[in-house]
């Protein structure tokens, strides 16, 4: 191929691999690097996926990898000595004495090597930005580099991990990124572009031009409509797309009218973001796109799973509730369960109990927007609630909080509908000792019960199917002990699974009714 350089030093690219789920490879640094390789159509690196301690079966990895990327699996012990001193990703030149490590450094190197191999790929080099400095400043001194290179990938990984256990809040770092993308764009020719935008705004405000004015400005209008946009709203987008299709040419348009040229900088409209760093697609977008895509996809999936969880609990409660019943939603969080119950059962009084103030304020706001008048909100630990009620509900109450809810209900002979969570946090307290039931105490010691609880937490979707099956069986045994303990105190209890079971890794429900 014309312009190709053939004598290149052989280089190895080492990437961590822990697991893959729903089309995404983890950690996200690895997904980002593979995405760039595919985007650049870069085949000059020998790619090695390094198994981590958390690594799962990679036999199905080919299903989510581009067919053009050839990879091999290695253990951490097989890494070259120089790489063992660094965090991955890392690139090593043969003979293993020059290493580049860290996401930004490795990604910039991939871009530069891709251009070196094929200098006709100027659009690849432009990923580095106007002065080729995109993500060049180290994360220790650049807040922007730190946010994109380190913070966003890590917080989204945590978000996805936590979403398999309980619904987490949107990370503050995502909101910070959203705030930054709302700030005005600064580019090297922003004064010129802002004046063009001002001209378009004034033209739009003035309405259709007169025939004489239209003929006089036809040539200049054609130039701005092709390269800048025919409306103030589309200017940034048109400039961005013009960069992707043709190189900018020297400005040949007539001078701007005097009232545009003389406008003060403070009077010029700001430019809005099209991409992460402004108007042009850069390496920063390559980094953020896989992360934000998976975050948004998981957010939609999580909303559906939350809806399915609510359907299960609400179905059971509405079939038990009678007019005039008092229903308590323990550990209510933002009120997802309690608000739905108050809406579905207008003749019942629903009380939400939550110790986190912000969560309860959010729940009250939602309730007020719906105009509900049969719902109360109490910020307190549940032991401070002494009222009488007929049905107690708890969705994913963590660890022994589920046992506290059941105990609260049993003490006043109320029915309970609970969905436990965080089995690994279960341990003896001043109020509870495990196993709880006499039947299980005859078989299991406390230590054996704790082992059972630890295995019961191994139900995350990214784990191998056999491991998840064992986790589900242990989960059922822990909840069966809870059920037997309630039966010994005069309750009819069922341990059932939510439908579909995929709505949550923690999909057991313990339903108890006093005999």
């Amino acid at each position: 191929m014309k312009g190709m350089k053939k004598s290149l030093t052989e280089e190895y690219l080492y990437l961590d691999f822990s697991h893959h789920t729903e089309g995404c490879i983890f950690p996200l640094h690895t997904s980002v690097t593979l995405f760039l390789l595919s985007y650049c159509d870069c085949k000059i690196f020998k790619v090695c996926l390094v198994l981590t301690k958390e690594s799962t079966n990679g036999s199905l990895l080919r299903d989510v990898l581009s067919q053009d990327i050839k990879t091999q699996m290695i253990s951490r012990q097989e890494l070259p000595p120089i790489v063992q001193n660094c965090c991955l990703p890392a690139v090593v030149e043969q003979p293993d004495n020059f290493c580049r490590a860290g996401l930004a450094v490795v990604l910039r190197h991939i871009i530069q090597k891709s251009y070196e191999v094929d200098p006709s790929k100027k659009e690849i080099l432009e990923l580095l930005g106007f002065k080729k400095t995109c993500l060049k400043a180290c994360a220790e001194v650049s807040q922007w580099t730190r946010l994109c290179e380190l913070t966003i990938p890590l917080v989204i990984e945590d978000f996805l991990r936590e979403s398999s256990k309980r619904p987490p809040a949107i990370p503050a770092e995502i909101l910070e990124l959203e705030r930054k993308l709302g700030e005005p764009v600064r580019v090297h020719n922003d004064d010129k572009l802002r004046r063009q935008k001002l001209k378009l705004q004034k033209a739009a405000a003035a309405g259709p031009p007169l025939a004489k004015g239209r003929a006089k400005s036809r040539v200049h209008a054609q130039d701005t409509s092709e390269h800048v946009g025919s409306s103030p709203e589309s200017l940034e987008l048109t400039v961005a797309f013009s960069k992707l299709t043709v190189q900018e040419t020297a400005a040949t348009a007539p001078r701007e009218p005097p009232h545009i040229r003389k406008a003060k900088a403070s009077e010029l409209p700001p430019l809005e973001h099209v991409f992460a760093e402004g108007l042009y697609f850069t390496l920063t977008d390559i980094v953020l796109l896989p992360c934000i895509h998976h975050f948004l996809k998981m957010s939609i999936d999580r909303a559906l799973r939350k809806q399915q969880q609510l359907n299960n609990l609400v179905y059971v409660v509405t079939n038990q509730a009678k007019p005039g019943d008092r229903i308590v939603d323990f550990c209510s969080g933002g009120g997802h369960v309690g608000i739905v119950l108050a809406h579905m059962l207008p003749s019942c009084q629903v009380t939400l109990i939550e110790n986190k103030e912000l969560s309860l304020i959010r729940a009250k706001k939602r309730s007020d927007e719906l105009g509900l008048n049969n719902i109360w909100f109490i910020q307190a630990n549940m032991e401070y609630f002494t009222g009488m009620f007929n049905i107690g509900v708890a969705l994913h109450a963590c660890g022994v909080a589920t046992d506290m809810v059941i105990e609260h209900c049993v003490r006043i002979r109320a029915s309970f509908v609970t969905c436990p969570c965080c089995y690994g946090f279960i341990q003896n307290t001043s109020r509870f000792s495990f196993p709880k039931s006499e039947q299980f105490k005859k078989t299991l010691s406390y230590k054996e019960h704790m082992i059972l609880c630890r295995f019961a937490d191994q139900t995350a979707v990214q784990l191998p199917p056999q491991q998840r099956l064992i986790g589900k069986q242990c989960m059922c045994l822990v909840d069966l002990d809870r059920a037997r303990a309630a039966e010994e105190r005069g309750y009819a209890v069922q341990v059932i699974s939510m439908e579909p079971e995929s709505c949550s890794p923690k999909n057991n429900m313990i339903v108890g009714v006093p005999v």
Side-chain angles (χ1 to χ4, degrees):
M1 183 181 293
K2 185 178 179 180
M4 290 279 285
K5 294 185 178 181
K6 296 183 178 179
S7 57
L8 292 171
T9 305
E10 188 177 53
E11 296 191 32
Y12 282 77
L13 172 60
Y14 297 98
L15 305 171
D16 277 323
F17 171 68
S18 60
H19 65 282
H20 65 92
T21 179
E22 300 183 20
C24 187
I25 297 172
F26 289 85
L28 285 175
H29 276 184
T30 295
S31 274
V32 168
T33 309
L34 292 173
F35 177 48
L36 178 62
L37 288 175
S38 180
Y39 182 86
C40 296
D41 192 24
C42 181
K43 304 173 184 176
I44 60 177
F45 296 95
K46 295 184 180 295
V47 182
C48 300
L49 297 179
V50 184
L51 301 174
T52 66
K53 293 180 180 179
E54 299 81 18
S55 295
T56 58
N57 190 352
S59 60
L60 300 178
L61 191 57
R62 295 294 174 190
D63 297 339
V64 295
L65 278 177
S66 168
Q67 298 299 315
D68 295 331
I69 299 177
K70 307 300 180 184
T71 63
Q72 60 175 318
M73 295 276 195
I74 66 171
S75 66
R76 189 158 293 275
Q77 290 71 29
E78 296 176 85
L79 284 172
I82 191 172
V83 183
Q84 293 185 18
N85 292 288
C86 304
C87 294
L88 303 186
V91 172
V92 176
E93 292 181 8
Q94 297 298 309
D96 292 350
N97 62 359
F98 195 116
C99 176
R100 294 174 175 86
L103 184 65
V105 169
V106 167
L107 297 184
R108 289 178 55 85
H109 180 66
I110 290 173
I111 290 171
Q112 290 162 343
K113 294 296 288 188
S114 297
Y115 178 70
E116 181 183 335
V117 169
D118 186 357
S120 68
K121 293 183 176 179
K122 293 183 179 180
E123 74 282 0
I124 298 300
L125 191 63
E126 287 176 355
L127 288 173
L128 296 180
F130 174 56
K131 293 185 178 180
K132 306 297 180 283
T133 57
C134 184
L135 299 186
K136 185 176 181 179
C138 62
E140 289 81 2
V141 298
S142 168
Q143 293 182 357
W144 179 244
T145 299
R146 182 164 62 251
L147 181 68
C148 299
E149 179 187 18
L150 301 175
T151 307
I152 293 295
L154 290 177
V155 299
I156 290 180
E157 283 183 20
D158 289 341
F159 175 87
L160 300 179
R161 189 182 303 112
E162 289 302 314
S163 68
S164 67
K165 301 175 183 177
R166 67 179 76 86
I170 295 178
E173 294 80 1
I174 296 292
L175 300 177
E176 172 66 11
L177 175 62
E178 184 179 44
R179 186 190 65 78
K180 285 185 174 294
L181 295 183
E183 295 175 351
V185 169
R186 299 295 183 193
V187 293
H188 68 281
N189 61 340
D190 67 342
D191 184 83
K192 174 185 174 182
L193 293 175
R194 290 170 66 195
R195 291 184 189 280
Q196 290 172 341
K197 186 172 182 179
L198 177 63
K199 179 182 177 181
L200 291 172
Q201 286 179 343
K202 289 185 176 296
L210 297 174
K212 181 178 178 181
R214 183 180 301 159
K216 186 175 180 180
S217 61
R218 185 177 300 278
V219 174
H220 186 63
Q222 182 178 355
D223 178 76
T224 48
S225 66
E226 290 179 356
H227 299 287
V228 180
S230 57
S231 69
E233 290 78 13
S234 66
L235 183 139
E236 290 92 341
L237 195 58
T238 306
V239 171
F241 281 129
S242 71
K243 184 75 171 180
L244 297 176
T245 54
V246 295
Q247 294 298 312
E248 291 181 320
T249 57
T252 58
R255 295 182 70 187
E256 300 290 357
H259 69 285
I260 299 296
R261 293 200 312 271
K262 294 178 181 179
K264 298 179 181 179
S266 59
E267 298 173 345
L268 300 179
L271 299 176
E272 299 177 358
H273 282 263
V274 177
F275 296 107
E277 294 202 357
L279 305 183
Y280 307 123
F281 190 76
T282 65
L283 177 58
T284 303
D285 298 287
I286 294 285
V287 174
L288 295 177
L289 184 58
C291 300
I292 300 301
H293 168 75
H294 209 65
F295 170 75
L296 294 176
K297 181 179 182 297
M298 182 57 71
S299 297
I300 295 171
D301 292 345
R302 186 165 64 89
L304 174 61
R305 291 197 300 270
K306 170 59 71 175
Q307 179 183 341
Q308 292 167 338
Q309 295 166 23
L310 294 178
N311 288 344
N312 280 270
L313 265 73
V314 170
Y315 176 80
V316 175
V317 175
T318 54
N319 276 280
Q320 287 189 12
K322 303 181 297 297
D325 275 354
R326 295 182 177 182
I327 302 170
V328 176
D329 179 11
F330 291 97
C331 308
S332 65
H336 295 95
V337 176
I339 289 174
V340 175
L341 289 173
H343 175 73
M344 296 292 293
L345 300 168
S347 62
C348 296
Q349 177 67 41
V350 179
T351 300
L352 275 60
I353 298 179
E354 170 61 50
N355 63 4
K356 295 183 178 66
E357 182 181 18
L358 292 180
S359 296
L360 209 58
I361 290 174
R362 188 163 59 246
K364 187 178 185 306
K365 181 180 178 182
R366 291 169 175 164
S367 171
D368 291 344
E369 289 171 352
L370 293 171
L372 299 175
N373 55 17
N374 61 330
I375 188 167
W376 289 348
F377 305 88
I378 298 178
Q379 183 193 350
N381 292 329
M382 71 177 77
E383 58 264 32
Y384 286 96
F385 176 70
T386 59
M388 299 297 293
F389 58 96
N390 305 96
I391 304 174
V393 184
L395 174 58
H396 289 153
C398 185
V400 296
T402 289
D403 301 283
M404 295 173 67
V405 171
I406 294 175
E407 175 63 25
H408 221 90
C409 295
V410 170
R411 192 165 60 242
I412 64 167
R413 307 301 291 172
S415 299
F416 56 83
V417 182
T418 66
C419 177
C421 188
C422 302
Y423 293 78
F425 290 163
I426 294 174
Q427 60 182 350
N428 283 347
T429 69
S430 59
R431 297 178 58 186
F432 304 107
S433 61
F434 297 90
K436 296 180 68 178
S437 68
E438 295 301 320
Q439 180 182 358
F440 272 68
K441 286 178 181 178
K442 294 176 182 177
T443 307
L444 293 178
S445 66
Y446 172 62
K447 183 177 181 179
E448 290 168 333
H449 186 271
M450 291 299 98
I451 294 173
L452 204 62
C453 292
R454 299 302 182 270
F455 276 98
D457 254 350
Q458 304 299 308
T459 56
V461 293
Q462 63 265 29
L463 296 175
Q466 185 61 31
Q467 189 173 349
R468 293 203 306 270
L469 177 60
I470 294 173
K472 173 68 174 179
Q473 292 170 339
C474 294
M475 196 166 70
C476 288
L477 286 172
V478 174
D479 290 337
L480 187 61
D481 174 45
R482 287 165 158 161
R484 291 288 182 268
E487 288 174 347
E488 291 167 0
R489 299 173 67 180
Y491 272 72
V493 187
Q494 288 180 300
V495 177
I496 57 179
S497 291
M498 291 182 173
E499 296 181 0
E501 291 192 10
S502 59
C503 70
S504 173
K506 301 297 184 286
N507 51 35
N508 276 359
M509 288 197 299
I510 309 174
V511 181
V513 179
V515 177

